Amino acid sequence: MAAPTETPAIAPVAPPAPAPVQAPVQSSAPANAGAINDADVNHWKDRFNDVLSRPGEHINSRSPAGAASWTTHLFDCFNPIDTCLITCCVPCVTFGKIHHRINKNGNMEGYEPVNTSCLLFCGSGCCGLHWVLASLQRASIREKYNLEGNCLEDIAKSFCCGCCNLIQLEKESEHREALLRNGNSEQYKSNEGMVYPGAN
């Protein structure tokens, strides 16, 4: 009788090792990256709410006595020629550039040509209301740098001479920010803000 054949023992198979857990990749881009910036949206929302809450006061507002004269002229709009061409072809880019300079960084750090203010100006232009934003921006520049003028002038220049107005604002804000960087801020210390009817 043949001896029984022994079945070779099968070694147990070890379970597969778990795959290493990879740490999530953190993006170096800021969380608010993109053309739409929440701070800019809130800025314009607050501006509109302020104007709509007291329209009569804004319409009759003016710069305080002793305000400085503008160093650039409204119709000196062909110099420099690159600013002239950009503003005539894509005025929304110049508008967004001015907003960044006077509200965010005078050195234009972090500036992107397509930004919230640029898109807002472009959209309002499709409705023929771009002059409203330009008027508000001109008023902001007058108040920040203590320049002479009043609300009705802002509206007239923004409505009738849109491109010339933006070019003047671009050149004036660039000049004023250069003075501030050089420490020449004496002319702004006496700025008491806008004068509204009944405030005196």
Side-chain angles (χ1 to χ4, degrees), residues 72-126:
T72 57
H73 299 286
L74 180 65
F75 296 113
D76 185 19
C77 49
F78 292 100
N79 181 34
I81 190 62
D82 56 340
T83 301
C84 176
L85 292 176
I86 291 174
T87 306
C88 290
C89 297
V90 278
C92 57
V93 172
T94 301
F95 181 85
K97 185 177 181 181
I98 299 168
H99 176 83
H100 185 93
R101 178 181 290 114
I102 66 175
N103 292 287
K104 292 186 174 182
N105 189 286
N107 294 326
M108 300 304 293
E109 295 177 1
Y111 167 71
E112 293 292 340
V114 179
N115 52 48
T116 305
S117 297
C118 172
L119 296 176
L120 184 60
F121 188 86
C122 182
S124 64
C126 296

Side-chain angles (χ1 to χ4, degrees), residues 34-55:
I36 305 299
N37 183 278
D38 292 339
D40 286 346
V41 172
N42 291 330
H43 168 86
W44 288 112
K45 182 176 67 175
D46 292 342
R47 287 299 307 276
F48 280 117
N49 287 337
D50 181 54
V51 172
L52 294 176
S53 64
R54 46 193 185 124

Side-chain angles (χ1 to χ4, degrees), residues 5 11 41 57 64-65 68 72 91 113 118 130 132 140 157 179 194:
T5 305
V41 172
E57 294 183 17
T72 57
C118 172
H130 56 283
V132 176
S140 296
K157 292 176 179 178
L179 292 178
M194 303 294 286

